[in-house]
Amino acid sequence: MSNENEGNQGVDESGWDLEPGDESAPLIEAVGRLVRFCREQAGMRVADFAQVMGYGEDMIRKIERGARIPRVEFLDRADDVLNAHGHLRAFMEDVERAQYPKKVRELKELEDRAVEMLLYSNHNVHGLLQTREFAQALLATWRPKLSVEGLDGAVAGRMARQAVFQREPAAELSFVQEQVTLERPIGGTMVLRRQLEHLLEIAQLPNVEFQVMPTARADHPGTSGRIQVLKFGDGTGAGRTDDEFGGRPVSSPRQLQILELRYGIIRTQALSPGESLAFIEQALGAL
């Protein structure tokens, strides 16, 4: 591959543009100034640095002036190239959090705090349960279509949220998925197969209860849309649903009680965890 191609590839892969009003802007601007300082201390021109890194000069300039959120891989390699003695690597964790869209960061912060989650999905496999392939295929169906950069960032943000499964102590997670979400062949048969296999693995974790809501259940309160209830260690909580409270997040005890009541009924009408595992295995056998 030529350097020209590498530069073009870098334009798409080296990071994400800042969203207007993003509170991470001061951090990204500081990181950009540090990259520039380290480059100048190393006696490298922008063109030389860009060539060594495999990115276009314009992309390097965007990163240095804080208009672009660099990938952590960029900072890791730049630290070696510029002999920065770990100063650039020190920002990798902060930059990794900043690279995801603001609403994803806010949701991830809530999920990271939760000690219990009640999650009902009636249209798609829940984001915490999606494989990378499935997430990419699903997000690619959005209209208007996401740019390559936007799709990449959305998938990365969704995958980052799944760190909740590695938490210690683990949160208690309850998922109810509508049957149709496990049958729609998003991305094709092989992508769906791997998604179902992944669900089997997640469903057998000791802190996870996974249930399937059969399409044949005519009278259940899930027709108003998704339900999400997060409970925190201090006794407070947060929740939302598509067709209640204007779709906005809520936190009052009365509003959360409504969502918990609705979720509880859905949970009792769904297949048991054992029956749900058997359903997935049967669906896999039919593919």
Side-chain angles (χ1 to χ4, degrees):
M1 183 179 291
S2 69
N3 287 338
E4 180 180 354
N5 287 337
E6 288 175 357
N8 290 338
Q9 185 181 46
V11 168
D12 291 333
E13 296 187 348
S14 61
W16 294 271
D17 287 331
L18 275 171
E19 295 180 329
D22 195 316
E23 69 273 13
S24 295
L27 166 68
I28 302 307
E29 290 168 2
V31 170
R33 288 195 298 271
L34 181 59
V35 171
R36 180 177 178 179
F37 175 80
C38 292
R39 174 180 60 77
E40 291 175 345
Q41 288 294 107
M44 296 185 74
R45 299 178 305 149
V46 170
D48 299 329
F49 182 46
Q51 184 174 20
V52 172
M53 294 293 292
Y55 297 135
E57 293 181 38
D58 183 58
M59 187 56 55
I60 298 298
R61 291 192 175 92
K62 283 185 177 181
I63 290 173
E64 289 189 352
R65 68 172 183 264
R68 187 84 167 181
I69 305 173
R71 291 179 182 268
V72 293
E73 296 86 357
F74 175 92
L75 294 179
D76 186 38
R77 181 145 190 261
D79 200 283
D80 288 332
V81 170
L82 302 176
N83 195 26
H85 304 291
H87 289 97
L88 293 175
R89 286 196 181 96
F91 283 95
M92 287 171 61
E93 185 176 342
D94 296 313
V95 168
E96 184 175 27
R97 285 195 297 268
Q99 71 186 9
Y100 308 124
K102 181 180 179 181
K103 63 181 180 180
V104 173
R105 293 200 303 270
E106 293 172 345
L107 178 57
K108 185 177 185 302
E109 288 171 4
L110 290 174
E111 290 172 342
D112 286 345
R113 286 176 51 209
V115 296
E116 183 181 358
M117 300 189 207
L118 311 177
L119 306 164
Y120 166 68
S121 299
N122 68 335
H123 192 59
N124 295 312
V125 174
H126 194 279
L128 290 177
L129 299 173
Q130 293 173 14
T131 64
R132 181 177 293 275
E133 293 172 303
F134 188 92
Q136 185 159 5
L138 177 64
L139 292 168
T141 67
W142 286 9
R143 295 297 183 274
K145 292 182 72 68
L146 294 172
S147 64
V148 173
E149 175 185 290
L151 178 60
D152 192 24
V155 172
R158 190 156 295 187
M159 294 301 101
R161 289 171 52 206
Q162 296 183 9
V164 70
F165 292 110
Q166 282 76 52
R167 274 178 44 193
E168 290 292 345
E172 292 296 321
L173 306 173
S174 172
F175 295 92
V176 179
Q177 287 284 154
E178 282 290 335
Q179 177 180 337
V180 66
T181 67
L182 310 178
E183 296 174 334
R184 185 174 291 119
I186 300 293
T189 301
M190 290 309 298
V191 171
L192 178 59
R193 169 174 286 277
R194 283 189 283 268
Q195 176 62 64
L196 294 179
E197 291 170 345
H198 180 65
L199 286 178
L200 281 179
E201 295 175 5
I202 295 295
Q204 295 179 74
L205 293 175
N207 61 313
V208 173
E209 186 174 79
F210 180 86
Q211 295 175 259
V212 175
M213 173 62 77
T215 303
R217 300 286 197 268
D219 181 24
H220 79 87
T223 54
S224 59
R226 299 167 295 174
I227 296 174
Q228 180 180 44
V229 177
L230 308 182
K231 299 182 181 181
F232 308 122
D234 61 1
T236 62
R240 70 182 305 166
T241 185
D242 290 334
D243 196 29
E244 189 81 25
F245 318 122
R248 297 187 302 272
V250 297
S251 58
S252 78
R254 181 179 177 278
Q255 292 168 324
L256 291 175
Q257 186 178 40
I258 291 172
L259 296 184
E260 286 192 65
L261 171 64
R262 190 173 297 174
Y263 186 83
I265 297 173
I266 291 171
R267 200 171 184 176
T268 60
Q269 292 180 343
L271 299 177
S272 71
E275 292 170 333
S276 298
L277 287 177
F279 180 91
I280 298 174
E281 290 170 348
Q282 184 177 9
L284 274 168
L287 291 177

